[in-house]
């Protein structure tokens, strides 16, 4: 099967003419000859741009490759803009698998004899179908006697086997590219595939998605900005998830939003606020916020609220990354490129031996022309993209969490400007970030850290006298042991020095004795050789 699948992939890539992506100078003569001899696999889309051909080829190869293309579209540090833009258009809507098969999978996962034991109704026709799972409407019977409208998400049958097989093929192709392409090491294809493997395998575990949704819902409990549907965790399994059904308006349906007189400016600004709140307040953000996963509540159009679904991919940042990232953003707002460069060094994102002046100059060269436009016309996401691309030239190792952040920010900004074209993301984000940075330094931050660590110190405080007494009691003993070890090391060092000197003298006298034996008096040669034996013995016995 693997061989036939490999042939099918090669056939598809050649029929879409994707061998053109490899420069002719990189292809040996025998590879070009083999390509020409495969006349039945000629390029059938020669008039189409290469980016479009790549998108169509990935779509024809199926869900695993579609999602791989979607992930690649976020790696603009590796791809030309025209190809990345085409890949960003990939949609993973695919034909559904039979509803009765989905029902069987649900019954098996929930250990039901019949689905009616738990659900008073179940729609065999799916509400939506994607590359990895599909969704069915149902009504859940509850212990209190009330029914609840829910949706059941179920993983496609045998999809894991197909995904693992295709991932193995991807890894094999990436290994070939890394080894034989001149630019293979810089592009790091095996690392890209490895990153993708983790992402897509995480999406196959619906219990992980359920946990992510529960966390996000808790983070935004009572919020006017974002609502996450309730997850019925008792009925969630690795391949099945039951959650509250929502009836919002798709965020991409601008006509429907306008028809109910939604406050589009407020909605766009709230999208920005939700993103930065997730990143900097919670360190836990929904990293797949494309329009298909975002809805708008039909209630209170004058005070609109987002509804987020599909929490399979989330990103996290540690406290250091958050602080450096926020300070980077603020420095960009203020065009302080020197600080941006220094922050990259301090954070460890670029090597410590990087020349700060050269790095600052490179950042200015890329970013200053952007700032010639009015702030409202500048893409925040693309500025971040240019920052990472420039840093790559200085051997910045791409951080997976920053790639997710970049992708999500591009989604959020594109969505916000679709809703409200006049959205000034800079103006919306800057006060939030400046306020957050101020909260992380100074006395308020110090006091907050003291409060956060208070339970730890309260637990350790009663032990302090015992620990202090033990230290004072054992301190002299440890110092004496350390002194003995130092003295032993000194003796060993002196012995080693004597051996080295004796060995050098033995070698020198041996060479001199050999020369004297051939050209000089025998008594001198004998004396020198005797000296060599003496020093050699001294070196061995010291």
């Amino acid at each position: 099967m693997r061989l036939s699948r490999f042939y099918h992939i090669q056939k598809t890539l050649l029929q879409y003419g994707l061998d053109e992506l490899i420069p002719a100078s990189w292809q040996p003569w025998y590879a070009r000859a083999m390509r020409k001899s495969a006349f039945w696999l000629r390029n059938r889309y020669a008039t189409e741009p290469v980016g479009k051909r790549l998108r169509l080829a990935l779509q024809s190869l199926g869900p695993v490759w579609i999602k791989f293309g979607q992930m690649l579209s976020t790696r603009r540090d590796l791809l030309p803009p025209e190809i990345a833009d085409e890949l960003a258009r990939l949609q993973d809507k695919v034909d559904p698998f039979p509803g009765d098969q989905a029902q069987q999978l649900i019954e098996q996962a929930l250990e039901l004899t019949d689905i009616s034991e738990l659900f008073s109704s179940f729609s065999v026709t799916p509400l939506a179908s994607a590359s990895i799972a599909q969704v069915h409407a149902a009504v859940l019977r509850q212990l209190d006697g009330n029914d609840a409208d829910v949706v059941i998400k179920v993983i496609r049958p045998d999809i894991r086997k197909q995904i693992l097989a295709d991932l193995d093929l991807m890894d094999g192709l990436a290994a070939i590219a890394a080894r034989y392409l001149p630019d293979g090491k810089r592009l790091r294809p095996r690392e890209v595939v490895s990153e993708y493997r983790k992402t897509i395998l995480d999406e196959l575990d619906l219990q992980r998605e359920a946990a992510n949704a529960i966390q996000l819902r808790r983070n935004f409990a009572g919020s006017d900005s974002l609502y996450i549907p309730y997850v019925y965790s008792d009925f969630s399994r690795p391949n099945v998830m039951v959650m509250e059904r929502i009836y919002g308006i798709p965020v991409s349906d601008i006509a429907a939003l306008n028809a109910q007189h939604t406050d589009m400016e407020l909605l766009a600004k709230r999208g920005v606020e939700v993103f930065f709140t997730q990143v900097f307040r919670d360190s836990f953000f929904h990293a797949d916020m494309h329009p298909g996963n975002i809805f708008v509540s039909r209630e209170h159009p004058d005070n609109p609220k987002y509804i987020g679904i599909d929490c399979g991919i989330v990103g996290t940042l540690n406290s250091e990354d958050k602080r450096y990232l926020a300070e980077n953003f603020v420095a960009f707002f203020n065009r302080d490129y020197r600080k941006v460069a220094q922050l990259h060094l301090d954070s460890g994102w670029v090597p410590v031996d990087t020349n700060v002046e050269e790095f600052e100059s490179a950042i200015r060269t890329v970013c200053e022309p952007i700032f010639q436009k009015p702030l409202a016309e500048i893409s925040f996401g693309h500025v971040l993209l240019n920052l990472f691309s420039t840093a790559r030239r200085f051997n910045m190792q791409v951080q997976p969490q920053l790639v997710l952040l970049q992708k999500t920010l591009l989604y959020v900004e594109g969505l916000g400007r679709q809703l409200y074209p006049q959205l000034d993301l800079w103006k919306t984000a800057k006060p939030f970030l400046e306020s957050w940075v101020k909260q992380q330094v100074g006395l308020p931050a110090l006091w907050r850290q003291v409060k956060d660590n208070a339970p730890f110190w309260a637990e350790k405080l009663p032990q302090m006298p015992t620990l202090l007494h033990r230290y004072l009691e054992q301190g002299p003993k440890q110092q004496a042991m350390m002194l003995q070890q130092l003295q032993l090391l000194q003796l060993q060092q002196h012995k080693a020095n004597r051996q080295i000197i004796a060995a050098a003298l033995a070698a020198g006298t041996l060479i001199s004795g050999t020369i004297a034996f051939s050209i000089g008096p025998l008594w001198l040669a004998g004396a020198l050789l005797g000296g060599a034996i003496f020093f050699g013995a001294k070196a061995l016995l010291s």
Side-chain angles (χ1 to χ4, degrees), residues 130-167:
S131 57
I132 289 180
Q134 67 186 34
V135 175
H136 291 260
V139 176
L140 176 68
R141 303 179 190 273
Q142 299 190 95
L143 295 177
D144 60 5
N146 295 320
D147 289 346
D149 286 349
V150 298
V151 293
I152 309 174
K153 187 173 183 178
V154 56
I155 297 290
R156 287 179 171 272
D158 300 323
I159 189 69
R160 176 177 286 274
K161 183 178 179 181
Q162 179 186 347
I163 285 175
L164 291 174
D166 276 359
L167 285 172

Coordinates of all heavy atoms in Angstrom, one line a residue, residues 130-167:
A130 N -15.7 17.8 7.8 CA -14.3 18.3 7.6 C -13.4 17.2 7.3 O -13.8 16.0 7.2 CB -13.9 19.2 8.7
S131 N -12.1 17.5 7.2 CA -11.2 16.4 6.8 C -11.0 15.4 7.9 O -10.7 14.2 7.5 CB -9.8 17.1 6.5 OG -9.4 17.8 7.6
I132 N -11.1 15.7 9.1 CA -10.8 14.7 10.2 C -12.1 14.2 10.9 O -12.1 13.1 11.3 CB -9.8 15.4 11.2 CG1 -8.5 15.5 10.6 CG2 -9.8 14.6 12.5 CD1 -7.4 16.1 11.5
A133 N -13.1 15.1 11.0 CA -14.3 14.7 11.7 C -15.5 15.3 11.1 O -15.4 16.2 10.2 CB -14.2 15.2 13.2
Q134 N -16.7 14.9 11.5 CA -17.9 15.5 11.1 C -18.8 15.6 12.3 O -18.6 15.0 13.3 CB -18.6 14.8 10.0 CG -19.1 13.4 10.2 CD -19.7 12.7 9.0 OE1 -19.1 12.9 7.9 NE2 -20.7 11.9 9.1
V135 N -19.9 16.5 12.2 CA -20.7 16.9 13.3 C -22.2 16.5 13.0 O -22.6 16.8 11.9 CB -20.6 18.4 13.6 CG1 -21.5 18.8 14.6 CG2 -19.1 18.7 14.0
H136 N -22.8 15.9 14.0 CA -24.3 15.6 13.9 C -25.0 16.3 15.0 O -24.6 16.4 16.1 CB -24.5 14.1 14.0 CG -23.9 13.3 12.8 ND1 -24.7 12.9 11.8 CD2 -22.6 12.9 12.5 CE1 -23.9 12.2 10.9 NE2 -22.7 12.3 11.3
A137 N -26.2 16.7 14.6 CA -27.1 17.3 15.7 C -27.9 16.2 16.4 O -28.2 15.1 15.9 CB -28.1 18.2 15.0
A138 N -28.1 16.5 17.7 CA -28.8 15.5 18.5 C -29.5 16.2 19.7 O -29.2 17.4 19.9 CB -27.9 14.4 19.0
V139 N -30.3 15.5 20.4 CA -30.9 16.0 21.6 C -30.6 15.1 22.8 O -30.9 13.9 22.7 CB -32.5 16.2 21.5 CG1 -33.1 16.6 22.8 CG2 -32.8 17.1 20.4
L140 N -29.9 15.6 23.8 CA -29.4 14.8 24.9 C -30.4 14.6 26.0 O -31.0 15.7 26.4 CB -28.1 15.4 25.4 CG -27.4 14.7 26.6 CD1 -26.9 13.4 26.3 CD2 -26.3 15.6 27.2
R141 N -30.7 13.4 26.5 CA -31.5 13.2 27.6 C -30.7 13.5 28.9 O -29.6 13.0 29.0 CB -32.0 11.8 27.7 CG -32.8 11.3 26.5 CD -33.1 9.8 26.7 NE -33.7 9.2 25.5 CZ -35.0 9.3 25.2 NH1 -35.8 9.9 26.0 NH2 -35.4 8.7 24.1
Q142 N -31.2 14.3 29.8 CA -30.4 14.7 31.0 C -31.1 14.1 32.2 O -32.3 13.8 32.2 CB -30.3 16.2 31.1 CG -29.6 16.9 30.0 CD -29.3 18.3 30.2 OE1 -28.2 18.7 30.7 NE2 -30.3 19.2 29.9
L143 N -30.4 14.0 33.3 CA -30.9 13.4 34.5 C -32.0 14.2 35.1 O -32.9 13.6 35.8 CB -29.8 13.2 35.5 CG -28.6 12.2 35.2 CD1 -27.5 12.2 36.2 CD2 -29.2 10.8 35.0
D144 N -32.0 15.5 34.9 CA -33.1 16.3 35.5 C -34.4 16.3 34.7 O -35.3 17.0 35.0 CB -32.6 17.8 35.7 CG -32.2 18.4 34.4 OD1 -32.4 17.8 33.3 OD2 -31.7 19.6 34.4
G145 N -34.4 15.5 33.6 CA -35.6 15.4 32.8 C -35.7 16.3 31.6 O -36.5 16.2 30.8
N146 N -34.8 17.3 31.7 CA -34.8 18.3 30.6 C -33.9 17.8 29.4 O -32.8 17.3 29.7 CB -34.3 19.7 31.1 CG -35.2 20.3 32.1 OD1 -36.5 20.2 31.9 ND2 -34.7 20.9 33.1
D147 N -34.3 18.0 28.2 CA -33.5 17.7 27.1 C -32.6 18.9 26.7 O -32.9 20.1 27.0 CB -34.4 17.3 25.9 CG -35.1 16.0 26.0 OD1 -34.6 15.3 27.0 OD2 -36.0 15.7 25.3
A148 N -31.4 18.6 26.1 CA -30.5 19.6 25.7 C -30.1 19.5 24.3 O -29.8 18.3 23.8 CB -29.2 19.6 26.6
D149 N -30.2 20.6 23.5 CA -29.7 20.5 22.1 C -28.2 20.4 22.1 O -27.5 21.3 22.7 CB -30.2 21.8 21.4 CG -31.6 21.8 21.0 OD1 -32.3 20.7 21.2 OD2 -32.2 22.8 20.6
V150 N -27.7 19.4 21.4 CA -26.2 19.2 21.4 C -25.8 18.9 20.0 O -26.6 18.7 19.1 CB -25.8 18.1 22.3 CG1 -26.1 18.4 23.8 CG2 -26.4 16.7 21.9
V151 N -24.5 18.9 19.8 CA -23.9 18.4 18.6 C -22.9 17.3 19.0 O -22.3 17.4 20.1 CB -23.2 19.5 17.7 CG1 -24.2 20.5 17.2 CG2 -22.1 20.2 18.5
I152 N -22.7 16.3 18.2 CA -21.8 15.2 18.4 C -20.7 15.3 17.3 O -21.1 15.1 16.2 CB -22.5 13.9 18.4 CG1 -23.7 13.9 19.4 CG2 -21.5 12.8 18.9 CD1 -24.6 12.6 19.3
K153 N -19.5 15.4 17.8 CA -18.4 15.4 16.8 C -17.8 14.0 16.8 O -17.5 13.5 17.9 CB -17.4 16.5 17.2 CG -16.2 16.7 16.2 CD -15.4 17.9 16.6 CE -14.3 18.1 15.6 NZ -13.5 19.3 16.0
V154 N -17.6 13.5 15.7 CA -17.1 12.1 15.6 C -15.9 12.0 14.6 O -16.0 12.6 13.5 CB -18.2 11.1 15.3 CG1 -18.9 11.5 14.0 CG2 -17.7 9.7 15.2
I155 N -14.8 11.4 15.0 CA -13.7 11.3 14.1 C -14.0 10.3 13.0 O -14.7 9.3 13.2 CB -12.5 10.8 14.9 CG1 -12.1 11.8 16.0 CG2 -11.3 10.5 14.0 CD1 -11.5 13.0 15.5
R156 N -13.5 10.6 11.8 CA -13.7 9.7 10.6 C -13.1 8.3 10.9 O -12.0 8.2 11.5 CB -13.0 10.3 9.4 CG -13.8 11.5 8.8 CD -13.1 12.1 7.6 NE -13.9 13.1 7.0 CZ -14.8 12.8 6.0 NH1 -15.0 11.6 5.6 NH2 -15.6 13.8 5.5
P157 N -13.8 7.3 10.4 CA -13.3 5.9 10.6 C -12.0 5.7 9.8 O -11.9 6.2 8.7 CB -14.4 5.0 10.1 CG -15.2 5.9 9.2 CD -15.1 7.3 9.7
D158 N -11.0 5.0 10.5 CA -9.8 4.7 9.8 C -8.9 5.9 9.4 O -7.9 5.7 8.7 CB -10.0 3.8 8.6 CG -10.7 2.5 9.0 OD1 -10.5 2.0 10.0 OD2 -11.6 2.1 8.2
I159 N -9.3 7.1 9.9 CA -8.5 8.3 9.5 C -7.1 8.2 10.1 O -6.1 8.7 9.5 CB -9.2 9.6 9.8 CG1 -8.5 10.8 9.2 CG2 -9.3 9.7 11.3 CD1 -8.7 10.9 7.7
R160 N -6.9 7.7 11.3 CA -5.6 7.7 11.9 C -4.6 6.8 11.1 O -3.5 7.2 10.9 CB -5.7 7.1 13.4 CG -4.4 6.9 14.1 CD -4.6 6.4 15.5 NE -5.1 7.5 16.4 CZ -4.3 8.4 17.0 NH1 -3.0 8.3 16.8 NH2 -4.8 9.3 17.8
K161 N -5.1 5.7 10.6 CA -4.2 4.8 9.8 C -3.8 5.6 8.6 O -2.6 5.5 8.2 CB -5.0 3.5 9.4 CG -4.2 2.5 8.7 CD -5.0 1.3 8.4 CE -4.2 0.3 7.6 NZ -5.0 -0.9 7.3
Q162 N -4.7 6.3 7.9 CA -4.3 7.0 6.7 C -3.4 8.1 7.0 O -2.4 8.4 6.3 CB -5.6 7.6 6.0 CG -5.3 8.4 4.8 CD -6.6 9.0 4.2 OE1 -7.7 8.7 4.6 NE2 -6.4 10.0 3.3
I163 N -3.6 8.8 8.1 CA -2.8 10.0 8.5 C -1.4 9.5 8.8 O -0.4 10.1 8.4 CB -3.4 10.7 9.7 CG1 -4.6 11.5 9.2 CG2 -2.4 11.6 10.4 CD1 -5.3 12.2 10.4
L164 N -1.2 8.4 9.6 CA 0.1 7.9 10.0 C 0.9 7.4 8.7 O 2.1 7.7 8.6 CB -0.1 6.7 11.0 CG -0.5 7.1 12.4 CD1 -0.8 5.9 13.2 CD2 0.4 8.1 13.0
A165 N 0.1 6.8 7.8 CA 0.8 6.3 6.6 C 1.3 7.5 5.8 O 2.5 7.6 5.3 CB -0.1 5.5 5.7
D166 N 0.5 8.6 5.6 CA 0.9 9.7 4.9 C 2.0 10.5 5.6 O 2.9 11.1 4.9 CB -0.3 10.6 4.6 CG -1.1 10.2 3.4 OD1 -0.7 9.2 2.7 OD2 -2.1 10.8 3.0
L167 N 2.0 10.5 6.9 CA 3.0 11.2 7.7 C 4.4 10.5 7.5 O 5.4 11.2 7.4 CB 2.7 11.3 9.2 CG 1.6 12.3 9.6 CD1 1.2 12.0 11.1 CD2 2.0 13.7 9.4

